[in-house]
Amino acid sequence: MLGWHWILDALDCDVAALCDREALARALVEVPDALGLTRVSQPQLFEHRDGPDGARTLAGVILLAESHFSLHARPHLGALHADLFSCVPFPASAARDALRRYYPFTRATEQVLHRGEGRR
Amino acid sequence: MSQPITPLASIFPLPLGEGQGEGAKPRSTTEQPALAPAWHHSALTLTASAPFHGVFAPEVLLPSLLRLCAQSSHVVEGHTLHRFEPQGASLFLHGPRLRLALHTWPERGLATLDVACADADADALVDAVCLALALRVSERHRVCPSERDGGAE
């Protein structure tokens, strides 16, 4: 077993929050902090215009001693994609709650993959 | 070898709901149907042939991945890399339609690779990476939120 991979797609997010670079950077730092994970890089942010009619999307990643945490905000859809991979277990509910402080979504799908469990 | 995505409630003390249990689909926090994101994500565990340290050296991995992305017509706008002591590395490449994360455990001859593409062709890049770095896929999860489906092979 190499790690736990939490993947969340949040919907109905506040569009202003999804457009906020500072909120993205703070979430990349503070969500891992809230889970007791160890940051080994600064948050790296990216801005693209890849939506319909050149809609702006924001994304970012931070590397952790335990693996990584990334976010991808798509304001034109009101959607946020989060992906947290850690070689130590963490409570998904705490990750979700920490993320909601920055993106108060009302709908989401989420899953946790066990990475490396089925390797031959 | 086929293996379902592990249901969330079997790992964490969340209340069981409809759709939880063996082979469960991604868990939704409400009863409403999810919007369909266009991104398709392959999450793999890779096994290296010896010598592990050469294949997993960051000075080999980073240029190799950048070249493979370019050859696959994936635009990479930024990357971040961390080297662990005494060994191992984490790499993340990002582009408008690509996210790639690689974590290595040279001492175990293992790596995890995540490739998410907006145009559903993650497998082509995965195959190119495995071929170029002589890595073998030992586990593959497909994460397709748009279909609320997924699984491991």
Side-chain angles (χ1 to χ4, degrees):
Chain A
M1 176 80 165
L2 294 173
W4 290 259
H5 198 165
W6 174 67
I7 296 166
L8 177 137
D9 283 288
L11 309 169
D12 297 342
C13 295
D14 179 72
V15 172
L18 293 172
C19 293
D20 186 342
R21 287 177 65 94
E22 191 175 326
L24 182 72
R26 284 204 316 271
L28 286 169
V29 167
E30 294 176 16
V31 170
D33 285 358
L35 298 171
L37 303 175
T38 304
R39 291 178 274 115
V40 297
S41 76
Q42 296 297 313
Q44 189 168 3
L45 306 186
F46 307 92
E47 185 172 335
H48 307 300
R49 291 196 177 274
D50 65 339
D53 302 323
R56 189 175 73 131
T57 65
L58 278 176
V61 62
I62 193 162
L63 296 180
L64 308 172
E66 297 83 3
S67 283
H68 74 263
F69 176 47
S70 78
L71 293 170
H72 187 179
R74 305 170 80 190
H76 60 289
L77 297 175
L80 176 76
H81 175 86
D83 126 74
L84 174 54
F85 182 24
S86 169
C87 60
V88 299
F90 61 91
S93 58
R96 190 190 324 126
D97 291 346
L99 193 60
R100 271 190 172 138
R101 291 179 205 140
Y102 304 93
Y103 302 99
F105 52 85
T106 57
R107 288 194 290 151
T109 58
E110 62 181 350
Q111 57 199 296
V112 174
L113 309 180
H114 279 182
R115 301 295 299 272
E117 191 175 53
R119 67 184 178 85
R120 293 184 287 270
Chain B
M1 182 171 175
S2 183
Q3 180 183 69
I5 287 179
T6 304
L8 197 61
S10 71
I11 312 166
F12 303 109
L14 294 175
L16 280 170
E18 187 177 353
Q20 299 278 317
E22 191 66 25
K25 299 292 188 286
R27 179 179 182 275
S28 175
T29 54
T30 74
E31 298 299 322
Q32 300 177 53
L35 182 67
W39 288 72
H40 291 255
H41 175 178
S42 285
L44 305 106
T45 302
L46 306 175
T47 306
S49 303
F52 306 140
H53 297 270
V55 172
F56 287 153
E59 57 271 22
V60 173
L61 285 175
L62 180 57
S64 297
L65 292 175
L66 290 172
R67 175 176 49 80
L68 292 166
C69 288
Q71 289 173 348
S72 303
S73 301
H74 287 290
V75 175
V76 176
E77 292 186 340
H79 65 266
T80 184
L81 163 69
H82 181 77
R83 299 165 188 257
F84 292 94
E85 293 296 335
Q87 58 192 345
S90 288
L91 271 165
F92 199 99
L93 309 184
H94 199 282
R97 303 176 73 79
L98 172 72
R99 294 190 298 265
L100 185 153
L102 182 74
H103 304 285
T104 70
W105 288 264
E107 72 279 13
R108 299 170 68 180
L110 295 173
T112 59
L113 175 67
D114 287 84
V115 180
C117 296
D119 48 5
D121 67 348
D123 283 353
L125 184 54
V126 167
D127 291 346
V129 170
C130 290
L131 183 64
L133 301 176
L135 300 171
R136 184 174 60 85
V137 176
S138 58
E139 180 185 71
R140 183 193 303 260
H141 294 274
R142 295 184 194 277
V143 184
C144 301
S146 61
E147 297 164 6
R148 304 192 65 193
D149 199 0
E153 297 167 352

